[in-house]
Amino acid sequence: MEILRKSSSIWALPIILLSFFIVVFNNGVVDASHKVYMHLQSTSSVDVKNVHRTGYHFQPPKNWINGPMYYNGVYHLFYQYNPKGAVWGNIIWAHSISTDLINWIPLEPAIYPSKVFDKYGTWSGSATILPGNKPVILYTGIVDANKTQVQNYAIPANMSDPYLRKWIKPDNNPLIVADMSINKTQFRDPTTAWMGRDGHWRILVGSVRNHRGKAILYRSRDFMKWIKAKHPLHSATNTGNWECPDFFPVSLKNTDGLDTSYNGKNIKHVLKVSLDVTRFEYYTVGTYDTKKDRYIPDNTSVDGWKGLRLDYGNYYASKSFFDSGKNRRIMLGWANESDTVDDDVKKGWAGVHPIPRKLWLDPSGKSLVQWPVEELETLREKKVQLSNYKLNMGEKVEIKGITAAQADVEVIFSFANLDKAEPFDHNWADLYAQDVCAIRGSTVQGGLGPFGLLTLASENLEEYTPVFFRIFKAQDKYKILMCSDASRSTLKNETTMYKPSFAGYVDVALTDKKLSLRSLIDNSVVESFGAGGKTCITSRVYPTLAIFDKAYLFAFNNGKEAIKIETLIAWSMADAKLH
């Protein structure tokens, strides 16, 4: 079977497009996470079945989505959902279950506005397993039209139900009300609780004061009466509101996950926050001082906009949990749409969940590594393979024999030497990686790179989303840029689409002169993992030509240094069962 077609044509002339650091959505307007479209939130969907709907990424049958838990052998996914429309509004906690994190069965809603303490909304939160194997949900309730926020709890109505279908909200809610020092309208998203060595429970709630983002710490003896600590667990100036904080330990010894309450030897802690200002997620690795209840980031971690990101693309509002069944920490995130609100209403749905990821601490101790859960591999079907294939400058090779619109691709690239790496322009020192990617895109010929994959490509490359590397020489080290560039992903009107050049740097030694890339392609999602998961980028794209069997996949090289494809394995991916 023929699986490739080689071409030496250069597919497009270079275009330089500077991207903005602050993410813009919906025709250039920054959408806050809780923006309400009153005129649209109960609008019936016109077309629920759409060419861009994903096949194996989780999304409900229709409408808008945004505290996972593993309990008695079942994975529970609770997610923000609008049952009446494809935009923000009417938010409830929908509930789906799975035994493998890939195939999901929907249940009735778990939590919805019904009491005085959540009359105006049931927003994000977390699940905690209490002693005696008793699950409890903490969530943010909206009590009035001014969006005053409080922290509530809910418990299963029937512990003997293996699926925990029904949840009740006791009348002693709310558990936590903001005091005078807290902005009551930016006080949300309680974390999974952890128990300290003193036997007291602790949680964090995200907030902001005078542009200083905060992870406010609360303690409790009995999980019912919570007292605010005198100081936050951590805070940082000029970072804006901290949403969806997550705080958990990671092992210095192996890739195993740890229970949130674990506080033994050979561990670090990770604090992740979603920054409302930028719509990206940032994290630091550091030390948790259990005596002072303070978190101190390592000197290799930076708070705020210059810091490490879980994903350098369209990824937000993530939450991790400890999977005791397989002794791993799992991260679940959310990727919203990049087209307009009107488009969302027309197609009848908005938002998907990227594939759940196992995460652990890199051996360097400086950053996290993420990788799609192993269960995803059960969806792999038709397989093709390419080995020891050389790509000279300007050449590309088509990967044939699979369904390119819905695929899983793993490739290892190698190169003979680093001599042709381009110098890193000192003018780029203060730019973000995505800005450098916009300047030095996939069509700009380089020295060592760009090389990578052209995903969701039309046959003649009118549309394509390249995922690629460029290697620069910067003083006494090399800088590896990884890009997922949506700027040419669709022929749809430029003014109605958000088509960024997402990018991040890859912190890896090049001693073996190899770089690996894995891309999960799913109709409107391109989810990529560089260097074994050291850098991750999720893109949402909406091709008009490269759909279904009209989508193509290529590997390419546009650098002077020849690139060898050591191995490339690609699979067609079956649809997940998303009932």
Side-chain angles (χ1 to χ4, degrees):
M1 178 185 297
E2 182 186 13
I3 68 167
L4 57 91
R5 183 176 69 209
K6 187 170 182 177
S7 171
S8 59
S9 62
I10 300 300
W11 45 91
L13 294 175
I15 293 178
I16 295 177
L17 174 65
L18 285 175
S19 61
F20 294 95
F21 169 62
I22 295 181
V23 180
V24 292
F25 299 101
N26 297 330
N27 203 15
V29 178
V30 175
D31 262 357
S33 55
H34 306 297
K35 184 173 181 177
V36 177
Y37 297 90
M38 295 300 295
H39 65 298
L40 295 175
Q41 63 179 253
S42 297
T43 302
S44 297
S45 60
V46 177
D47 180 17
V48 174
K49 295 182 180 179
N50 188 275
V51 293
H52 298 131
R53 190 166 179 81
T54 57
Y56 60 93
H57 284 73
F58 175 84
Q59 58 184 138
K62 60 180 181 178
N63 302 341
W64 190 97
I65 62 175
N66 184 34
M69 175 178 69
Y70 177 78
Y71 182 73
N72 287 352
V74 176
Y75 298 102
H76 295 257
L77 176 59
F78 303 99
Y79 52 97
Q80 300 273 279
Y81 179 64
N82 179 356
K84 297 182 179 181
V87 297
W88 177 268
N90 308 303
I91 296 300
I92 65 173
W93 275 50
H95 184 194
S96 292
I97 58 168
S98 174
T99 57
D100 61 6
L101 288 169
I102 301 299
N103 301 286
W104 295 90
I105 300 173
L107 303 178
E108 54 264 48
I111 303 173
Y112 47 87
S114 63
K115 299 290 186 79
V116 65
F117 47 78
D118 63 12
K119 180 180 179 181
Y120 288 81
T122 52
W123 288 6
S124 296
S126 303
T128 300
I129 308 298
L130 299 181
N133 201 31
K134 298 177 180 179
V136 59
I137 286 172
L138 294 173
Y139 71 97
T140 296
I142 312 303
V143 301
D144 56 34
N146 295 324
K147 295 186 181 178
T148 299
Q149 296 159 24
V150 299
Q151 314 312 319
N152 302 320
Y153 80 107
I155 55 177
N158 180 8
M159 290 291 293
S160 63
D161 176 7
Y163 296 154
L164 304 178
R165 291 177 177 87
K166 294 186 181 296
W167 293 72
I168 58 176
K169 300 175 289 187
D171 289 333
N172 63 330
N173 277 303
L175 293 184
I176 300 175
V177 176
D179 63 25
M180 295 299 291
S181 68
I182 295 172
N183 183 339
K184 296 180 181 180
T185 64
Q186 292 178 304
F187 175 61
R188 52 181 175 265
D189 308 336
T191 65
T192 297
W194 73 94
M195 183 174 285
R197 292 176 177 174
D198 57 4
H200 295 181
W201 291 101
R202 289 156 172 80
I203 63 167
L204 304 177
V205 180
S207 188
V208 63
R209 187 176 180 85
N210 297 326
H211 305 293
R212 175 182 282 272
K214 293 185 176 185
I216 301 175
L217 177 68
Y218 287 85
R219 304 186 188 96
S220 175
R221 292 176 179 269
D222 59 4
F223 218 85
M224 291 292 105
K225 183 179 180 181
W226 293 87
I227 299 173
K228 183 168 75 75
K230 292 182 179 179
H231 53 74
L233 181 84
H234 189 58
S235 65
T237 59
N238 300 318
T239 53
N241 189 37
W242 285 8
E243 293 190 305
C244 304
D246 200 7
F247 186 62
F248 53 88
V250 285
S251 174
L252 286 166
K253 293 293 187 180
N254 52 53
T255 66
D256 290 346
L258 298 172
D259 181 83
T260 310
S261 295
Y262 183 87
N263 196 19
K265 295 180 179 180
N266 299 311
I267 67 168
K268 288 283 187 179
H269 272 77
V270 172
L271 176 62
K272 186 276 305 183
V273 295
S274 305
L275 292 193
D276 204 10
V277 175
T278 66
R279 308 302 296 152
F280 292 137
E281 299 210 292
Y282 304 81
Y283 72 92
T284 54
V285 178
T287 300
Y288 174 32
D289 186 333
T290 57
K291 293 182 179 179
K292 297 180 179 179
D293 263 333
R294 291 275 196 179
Y295 168 74
I296 305 97
D298 293 344
N299 58 14
T300 53
S301 284
V302 178
D303 281 306
W305 303 358
K306 289 282 190 179
L308 297 167
R309 282 167 48 185
L310 282 178
D311 189 297
Y312 288 84
N314 196 338
Y315 194 90
Y316 197 72
S318 69
K319 185 73 185 75
S320 74
F321 69 97
F322 176 59
D323 177 359
S324 59
K326 292 194 173 182
N327 203 31
R328 58 187 177 175
R329 180 156 290 272
I330 300 296
M331 178 73 73
L332 282 163
W334 168 63
N336 69 338
E337 304 303 307
S338 297
D339 51 6
T340 68
V341 171
D342 287 338
D343 287 334
D344 293 344
V345 172
K346 289 176 183 177
K347 67 176 179 268
W349 51 270
V352 302
H353 282 286
I355 296 300
R357 303 170 180 179
K358 177 182 175 180
L359 62 80
W360 64 94
L361 189 65
D362 183 76
S364 69
K366 298 178 181 179
S367 60
L368 294 174
V369 180
Q370 302 167 73
W371 198 247
V373 292
E374 60 188 22
E375 291 89 337
L376 179 65
E377 297 172 15
T378 62
L379 298 182
R380 289 173 171 173
E381 294 187 325
K382 197 170 186 179
K383 173 185 173 181
V384 296
Q385 188 166 347
L386 179 65
S387 301
N388 297 318
Y389 192 89
K390 184 179 179 181
L391 285 173
N392 292 312
M393 185 174 70
E395 292 184 340
K396 63 183 186 294
V397 56
E398 183 184 352
I399 310 304
K400 304 181 71 174
I402 60 163
T403 304
Q406 198 165 303
D408 183 356
V409 187
E410 294 192 38
V411 58
I412 298 175
F413 298 101
S414 67
F415 34 90
N417 58 68
L418 297 163
D419 296 343
K420 294 179 182 177
E422 304 165 73
F424 188 79
D425 192 325
H426 69 276
N427 292 316
W428 301 340
D430 293 327
L431 295 181
Y432 294 95
Q434 67 186 53
D435 297 318
V436 178
C437 178
I439 296 169
R440 305 293 287 175
S442 64
T443 61
V444 180
Q445 293 181 356
L448 188 46
F451 59 87
L453 300 174
L454 302 179
T455 71
L456 293 175
S458 57
E459 185 175 16
N460 297 315
L461 295 179
E462 299 94 339
E463 296 178 333
Y464 58 94
T465 299
V467 184
F468 62 94
F469 298 108
R470 292 187 87 109
I471 300 175
F472 298 98
K473 180 66 186 299
Q475 294 179 345
D476 58 346
K477 64 178 182 179
Y478 294 95
K479 288 181 75 73
I480 305 163
L481 180 70
M482 175 179 165
C483 300
S484 181
D485 186 0
S487 62
R488 302 183 184 203
S489 60
T490 181
L491 294 179
K492 287 185 71 173
N493 190 327
E494 184 79 32
T495 61
T496 63
M497 299 296 297
Y498 175 57
K499 301 189 290 185
S501 301
F502 286 136
Y505 292 108
V506 186
D507 184 12
V508 61
L510 294 173
T511 52
D512 60 357
K513 300 180 180 63
K514 294 181 181 181
L515 278 172
S516 68
L517 176 65
R518 182 179 184 185
S519 286
L520 307 177
I521 305 162
D522 195 2
N523 297 293
S524 65
V525 177
V526 180
E527 193 175 354
S528 300
F529 303 82
K534 287 177 178 286
T535 299
C536 309
I537 307 177
T538 300
S539 290
R540 298 300 313 279
V541 294
Y542 310 90
T544 60
L545 301 177
I547 59 176
F548 301 133
D549 60 351
K550 301 300 183 183
Y552 294 80
L553 173 67
F554 301 89
F556 80 97
N557 175 32
N558 206 10
K560 295 177 182 178
E561 178 68 39
I563 298 297
K564 180 188 287 187
I565 299 174
E566 294 272 338
T567 58
L568 185 152
I569 306 175
W571 296 265
S572 294
M573 295 295 282
D575 287 347
K577 295 180 177 65
L578 307 174
H579 301 284

